[in-house]
Amino acid sequence: MMTEHTTPLHRTTEPHEPVSLDRSGDAWSRATPWLWVVFLGWITLNLTGAFPAGPNAADGLQEAVGVDHILRYGWDGPRLTHNFVGCSGTTMLLLTLSKLTGADSFVVYSIVCAVSGAIFALAAGGFVARWVRLPVPLCGMLAYTFPESIVCGTYTNDTVLPAAFAALAFYVLSGRLSAMRLAAGSICLGLAGWFRADIVLVTPALLFIL
């Protein structure tokens, strides 16, 4: 008499992983698109304060007047810019953009500061997010607690442009290092120092992120 032998059923799928009770990551993931909307709206609202461009601060006005003087009379006359020795890169950038566009130097400076403010907020948000594991837009909104990120919405200032490139350098160098990242970060940091020399005071902080 033949008997049927039954074989035990084998599990075809792997056991489920233990369910974590921490739902904070899921909550942030769901909220991130809305955080981006709020963050980008905040940036846009802040940048509108830079226009219409007007001489509301002495340093921005002096820089623009100095650039106009160089455009009209050349380099033979006295340097009337705000701080050519410490901010020669800013002067050269404004000269180049004013020549290329034919726009008023103060308008050019206002646009440069507005764009720099946006770059600072985005780069600072990305840098902080890599350390605290929170969404970039949330960290970017925290960046608005620093004067450099909101000053572009009120008046032109020679600290906004170097601050933007320094924040960009920190963001690039805080990722997985490669030859390309190291070169890009070094260029950004070098440009920041060219735009304003005393920005090099932040470079020792690189020892803690490299």
Side-chain angles (χ1 to χ4, degrees):
M1 180 177 178
M2 297 182 63
T3 59
E4 294 184 359
H5 296 280
T6 58
T7 57
L9 295 177
H10 294 281
R11 186 185 296 273
T12 58
T13 58
E14 294 295 327
H16 292 292
E17 295 293 331
V19 178
S20 173
L21 298 178
D22 182 12
R23 298 292 184 180
S24 59
D26 295 337
W28 283 125
S29 298
R30 290 192 297 270
T32 297
W34 294 105
L35 288 173
W36 272 112
V37 171
V38 173
F39 181 41
L40 295 177
W42 196 343
I43 290 177
T44 304
L45 180 63
N46 182 61
L47 298 189
T48 57
F51 306 100
N56 2 358
D59 53 353
L61 178 60
Q62 185 178 354
E63 184 67 32
V65 169
V67 169
D68 283 340
H69 187 271
I70 295 173
L71 287 173
R72 180 171 298 183
Y73 301 107
W75 292 94
D76 295 333
R79 302 288 183 268
L80 300 181
T81 53
H82 173 57
N83 182 7
F84 182 74
V85 174
C87 305
S88 57
T90 299
T91 301
M92 297 303 297
L93 177 64
L94 295 180
L95 277 170
T96 302
L97 294 178
S98 297
K99 284 181 179 179
L100 290 177
T101 62
D104 178 78
S105 58
F106 200 88
V107 173
V108 172
Y109 202 7
S110 297
I111 295 173
V112 167
C113 285
V115 174
S116 299
I119 293 174
F120 177 84
L122 291 167
F127 171 70
V128 174
R130 283 180 170 170
W131 290 89
V132 299
R133 306 298 183 186
L134 289 174
V136 172
L138 180 63
C139 296
M141 283 185 271
L142 294 177
Y144 272 99
T145 59
F146 294 92
E148 314 306 350
S149 55
I150 60 175
V151 72
C152 61
T154 53
Y155 65 93
T156 53
N157 190 280
D158 58 8
T159 63
V160 183
L161 182 59
F165 276 85
L168 197 57
F170 272 62
Y171 170 71
V172 171
L173 295 174
S174 64
R176 186 182 296 275
L177 276 185
S178 63
M180 185 70 71
R181 279 182 176 273
L182 194 59
S186 300
I187 290 173
C188 288
L189 199 60
L191 286 173
W194 187 45
F195 293 136
R196 178 160 173 154
D198 59 359
I199 198 69
V200 298
L201 295 175
V202 304
T203 52
L206 290 172
L207 297 175
F208 300 96
I209 66 173
L210 292 177

